Amino acid sequence: TTDGSHLQTLTGHAGCVAALALGPDDNLVSGSGDGTVRVWSGNDGTHLRTLQCDAHGVESLAVGQDGRLFIGTFSGTVLVWRAMGSGSRCIIAPDETFTPVSLCLSAAGTLYTGWNVEDDMYEFEDGDDAEGVLQVW
């Protein structure tokens, strides 16, 4: 809202909500440390479906204009679901030591992935940043 007032609370995840994305028809997609992705109606917040994705948790999300759902997991894979989770699924797994910390999808459907290649992405020594890579799919 323009005045900062709270409109609604969506509940259902058992872990921290780490990623959000807007899909077709303004549906909201949320990814959690509980390993699930939930799809919510953008009109009224109704829960539409839950996808069981990864036991280690969901780190990042991106949604294509065609409804493809890209889910970055703490296990080092990107899951690709067709039709906002109601269709088939494939897996992008370039290296099991990578964690996909960010996903971005162009209007043309090109996927950009930002990967952390450290064992512990939050532990830095001597002020150094974690090593990372950017890949284009």
Side-chain angles (χ1 to χ4, degrees):
T1 65
T2 56
D3 65 0
S5 60
H6 175 257
L7 295 177
Q8 189 174 11
T9 300
L10 306 179
T11 60
H13 282 295
C16 170
V17 175
L20 296 172
L22 284 176
D25 301 325
D26 285 333
N27 286 339
L28 177 66
V29 182
S30 58
S32 172
D34 65 8
T36 65
V37 167
R38 291 178 171 258
V39 181
W40 313 85
S41 167
N43 294 324
D44 60 9
T46 301
H47 174 251
L48 301 176
R49 76 176 48 92
T50 299
L51 306 174
Q52 194 64 43
C53 297
D54 186 87
H56 300 286
V58 173
E59 172 74 7
S60 51
L61 293 169
V63 180
Q65 294 177 357
D66 60 359
R68 288 180 301 158
L69 178 57
F70 297 84
I71 304 164
T73 73
F74 278 111
S75 293
T77 59
V78 176
L79 307 176
V80 184
W81 291 77
R82 305 266 183 246
M84 290 291 286
S86 63
S88 61
R89 177 179 88 158
C90 70
I91 299 174
I92 299 171
D95 187 315
E96 62 196 34
T97 63
F98 288 12
T99 301
V101 295
S102 58
L103 300 174
C104 180
L105 197 62
S106 74
T110 302
L111 177 66
Y112 299 87
T113 58
W115 301 87
N116 172 55
V117 295
E118 295 289 319
D119 287 337
D120 185 348
M121 65 180 289
Y122 300 108
E123 187 173 319
F124 307 121
E125 295 180 14
D126 301 322
D128 292 337
D129 289 335
E131 181 183 350
V133 296
L134 176 66
Q135 293 180 323
V136 181
W137 303 84

